[in-house]
Amino acid sequence: MATFVPPSGRFTLWRMSRTTPEDRLDSWKAIARYLGRSVRTVRRWEQQEGLPVHRLMHQSQASVYAFRQELDDWREARALAPSDPQTDQRPPRPARGSPSAKDMAAAIAVLPFNFAGPDPSQAWVADGLTEEMIGGFSRLAKLRVTSRTSSAAFKGSDRDSSTIADMLGVTYLLEGGVVGDGRRLRINVRLIDPRRDDHVWSRKFTGDMEQIFDIQEQITRAVVNALQLEIAPDEEVVFGQPAVDDLSAWRRVILARVTAFQWRPDALEQARTLLMEALELTGENPAICATMGRVLLHHVEAGIPDREGVLEEAKTWEARARAADPDHPETRVLSGWLAHATGDLEHAVEALEQALEADRDNPDALLLLAHCLLRIGLTERARPVIDHAMAVDPLTPLTRCFPGYLAAMEGRFDDAVDPYRDMLERDPANPVGRLFNVWIHFAAGRDDEAIAIASGFDGPAEESTPAHLARHLVAAHLGTIEDLPLPKPIREAAEGSEMYARHASEAWALAGNARRTALWLNRAVDLGFVNWPYLAEHSPFLQPLVDDPELRPVLERAKERWKALTARLN
């Protein structure tokens, strides 16, 4: 018979009376997720700082559980206590989506710095400063920072500060300008309170180009001081430290990241060249190695052939990043991305959650984590992650579609249409976004709109993998899919992505071909799409075939993997 062991610390029985069974968290992982920290950290807090964890003692071992209300009370008590640098007596950051998250953190957007100087080729300095400050702020628990891509939407904008702040959902704006000639710099910075449309402060910073990293740290610390934020000891260790401290290498990394975002084969190759040049200047650097690995994986996401060769090369870059610094957030994100690409979703979720412990507002890690959770079918767990991503990256097209992705995985296809349409309107040239819209419009029964959207591919996008799959969906609807075989390179690219394989499967399901549906769905399951509730209950494409003997074994395999993963990750 189990024996109750009361929680340690100063929490009393009256607090326990305020809890309900629905309030209970039944594992270390669940407690860690609620507090937004690692299992190791919450175990330490229980041993050293009175975190209220209960135990049921069995004959050979104990199981643990905690109540949300007690954890909130503990967190609130720590928030009122003074900070102790030796023990980090400071409240953990609330999990995103919890009721108190909004109250705990200020929010800031770093608007793109302007550049003025005789040589336009030096404008990268302003872009680099903007990116470094965003990266520095994202490591602070008490400050939420808008992503670079969302802030970039206001480059050169004449909108007033109040409108920008409302669109980004922030309480402060940081803006500035850089004047430089490649040797000397003058940087003017203004911290703005948009509610009063007034400066909190404005300052000028000057120095030589070689002092750029010192100037960047001075600016970020001045912002922290102006906002009266405290930096925790573990944050102080990394605060203000550039990921790449060689000026020439830093320039190449900034240019490579901008170039890679174009997602074209030639742009990705150019980004790889720039990163190789940067590594020659720095030696083994975890951020550069991880960025190289992610540029390679863009090939897979974009549906570019030679998946296996790309994955093998990406693995070597992950190994180099881990050798340089296994705990670097960029290393963790690359590990998560690789695991996502190969279908190892448990490892992907673990690596991405670890990355977010150190880099809390990383939009790439947030979106990829949400994607992995939705592929598994953990929609409730994905919901606060998507809310967090929408808060820090509200204007990026891919982010905008994620509430629709969540709705679709829950079978709410009409609710999913507007977010996907918003994505396409913001980036109409993106072939992946156009495919998503063809799929969701067919799923919602808006066939004429789906066909019209599929006709919008033009230029190089007409021969892309997304374009071919969109045309497959249309042909399935029209009954002509048998007359439209996928070219071999496109088929191979689709076989390398769970997303593309699932779309191919649903196209054949729409055509009523159970055998080919099963073949493609089997590939999607291999690569980690195991959301059995969606496959067996929600997908309007698969519903007519769920009892077909060709498809039933694949659905059963998806169900077993879904049950195993949800059991381990819950």
Side-chain angles (χ1 to χ4, degrees):
M1 185 168 178
T3 304
F4 171 73
V5 179
S8 59
R10 53 186 179 275
F11 288 83
T12 55
L13 291 176
W14 73 267
R15 284 194 175 114
M16 291 177 58
S17 68
R18 300 165 60 195
T19 63
T20 64
E22 294 77 16
D23 191 44
R24 179 165 148 166
L25 303 165
D26 286 315
S27 68
W28 282 115
K29 282 188 177 180
I31 297 167
R33 281 200 304 272
Y34 184 72
L35 293 174
R37 294 300 177 99
S38 66
V39 169
R40 179 164 41 180
T41 297
V42 296
R43 283 179 182 270
R44 175 173 62 80
W45 280 340
E46 191 237 352
Q47 295 171 0
Q48 300 178 7
E49 301 173 26
L51 182 72
V53 175
H54 304 263
R55 282 177 171 77
L56 286 173
M57 301 301 298
H58 306 280
Q59 289 184 350
S60 61
Q61 60 181 351
S63 58
V64 301
Y65 63 95
F67 293 104
R68 289 179 174 86
Q69 184 60 61
E70 291 182 1
L71 297 179
D72 289 344
D73 289 343
W74 176 83
R75 186 158 49 197
E76 181 180 350
R78 279 167 53 95
L80 297 174
S83 172
D84 181 348
Q86 298 302 313
T87 59
D88 186 18
Q89 292 288 330
R90 190 179 307 276
R93 190 181 203 180
R96 291 293 182 179
S98 66
S100 56
K102 197 175 290 185
D103 299 329
M104 287 288 291
I108 191 171
V110 182
L111 300 181
F113 276 34
N114 297 318
F115 178 80
D119 184 1
S121 68
Q122 295 295 316
W124 66 270
V125 176
D127 295 334
L129 265 178
T130 304
E131 185 168 318
E132 286 295 325
M133 283 187 285
I134 290 172
F137 289 142
S138 72
R139 295 190 172 198
L140 301 181
K142 293 193 175 181
L143 186 63
R144 192 188 78 221
V145 60
T146 301
S147 74
R148 181 190 63 80
T149 48
S150 284
S151 294
F154 298 99
K155 190 167 187 175
S157 172
D158 58 359
R159 294 178 185 267
D160 63 82
S161 61
S162 178
T163 300
I164 294 174
D166 286 344
M167 293 178 71
L168 294 175
V170 298
T171 48
Y172 295 96
L173 300 173
L174 187 71
E175 64 177 19
V178 179
V179 180
D181 59 4
R183 296 184 301 276
R184 292 285 297 171
L185 291 172
R186 184 174 76 252
I187 304 171
N188 302 315
V189 186
R190 295 170 295 281
L191 182 64
I192 299 171
D193 180 347
R195 293 166 298 184
R196 297 184 290 118
D197 195 22
D198 194 14
H199 297 165
V200 177
W201 59 254
S202 63
R203 288 181 57 181
K204 294 181 180 179
F205 299 83
T206 60
D208 294 332
M209 190 67 182
E210 288 74 17
Q211 297 173 294
I212 185 71
F213 300 121
D214 292 334
I215 295 172
Q216 177 257 323
E217 183 176 357
Q218 291 173 36
I219 295 171
T220 49
R221 287 191 181 278
V223 171
V224 167
N225 291 336
L227 298 180
Q228 299 182 336
L229 299 176
E230 297 181 24
I231 302 178
D234 59 331
E235 296 169 343
E236 182 67 51
V237 172
V238 297
F239 185 69
Q241 291 186 5
V244 180
D245 58 7
D246 179 277
L247 192 60
S248 296
W250 183 57
R251 179 178 69 84
R252 287 170 169 81
V253 172
I254 296 299
L255 294 174
R257 287 173 177 166
V258 172
T259 303
F261 272 115
Q262 299 175 42
W263 284 52
R264 298 193 319 267
D266 60 327
L268 294 173
E269 286 304 313
Q270 183 182 352
R272 292 177 66 180
T273 299
L274 287 164
L275 291 169
M276 287 300 298
E277 292 173 356
L279 273 176
E280 290 176 3
L281 295 167
T282 64
E284 294 298 274
N285 177 287
I288 299 175
C289 290
T291 301
M292 180 72 86
R294 290 177 61 190
V295 166
L296 284 161
L297 291 176
H298 281 331
H299 286 75
V300 177
E301 298 299 316
I304 299 170
D306 191 23
R307 174 182 187 273
E308 295 307 318
V310 169
L311 284 178
E312 286 304 311
E313 188 176 352
K315 288 176 184 177
T316 66
W317 287 105
E318 184 208 20
R320 290 174 67 168
R322 280 192 284 106
D325 184 355
D327 297 323
H328 196 285
E330 292 296 330
T331 302
R332 301 284 195 192
V333 173
L334 175 57
S335 295
W337 208 291
L338 257 176
H340 143 81
T342 55
D344 185 359
L345 297 189
E346 184 175 7
H347 181 203
V349 169
E350 179 183 1
L352 293 165
E353 287 183 335
Q354 289 172 340
L356 288 166
E357 285 185 21
D359 192 0
R360 297 168 176 85
D361 293 335
N362 185 312
D364 293 340
L366 288 166
L367 288 181
L368 191 56
L369 176 59
H371 183 36
C372 290
L373 294 171
L374 291 176
R375 286 166 61 187
I376 296 168
L378 296 172
T379 53
E380 285 305 311
R381 185 165 162 189
R383 197 180 307 276
V385 180
I386 293 171
D387 289 343
H388 186 174
M390 290 290 289
V392 302
D393 193 24
L395 302 183
T396 300
L398 181 61
T399 307
R400 301 294 296 184
C401 85
F402 260 76
Y405 186 13
L406 172 64
M409 293 299 102
E410 293 179 332
R412 297 182 290 109
F413 298 105
D414 282 333
D415 294 340
V417 168
D418 283 345
Y420 277 106
R421 184 183 287 141
D422 186 10
M423 176 195 190
L424 186 60
E425 288 173 351
R426 292 171 184 271
D427 190 8
N430 187 329
V432 176
R434 190 163 293 275
L435 168 62
F436 286 171
N437 271 268
V438 173
W439 165 73
I440 200 62
H441 279 79
F442 273 130
R446 305 185 186 192
D447 301 341
D448 291 343
E449 292 177 75
I451 293 169
I453 292 167
S455 68
F457 291 94
D458 57 12
E462 285 190 89
E463 295 306 316
S464 66
T465 301
H468 278 276
L469 290 172
R471 289 193 287 269
H472 243 219
L473 281 163
V474 172
H477 171 73
L478 298 175
T480 60
I481 192 171
E482 298 283 356
D483 302 325
L484 194 69
L486 293 176
K488 182 179 178 182
I490 301 299
R491 188 183 71 248
E492 291 176 349
E495 289 172 347
S497 162
E498 57 80 25
M499 177 184 71
Y500 293 140
R502 175 169 54 85
H503 284 312
S505 172
E506 291 186 312
W508 283 108
L510 183 59
N513 188 318
R515 184 180 65 82
R516 293 199 176 182
T517 298
L519 287 172
W520 279 104
L521 186 57
N522 203 49
R523 184 58 180 156
V525 172
D526 283 343
L527 293 174
F529 192 92
V530 297
N531 186 338
W532 182 78
Y534 171 79
L535 296 174
E537 299 171 3
H538 300 317
S539 170
F541 307 98
L542 298 172
Q543 278 304 296
L545 300 177
V546 291
D547 293 323
D548 191 285
E550 294 271 9
L551 194 59
R552 196 181 304 124
V554 185
L555 290 175
E556 285 299 317
R557 195 163 71 88
K559 185 177 183 179
E560 290 304 312
R561 291 190 64 182
W562 167 73
K563 288 170 64 176
L565 274 173
T566 52
R568 290 199 295 268
L569 290 172
N570 274 330

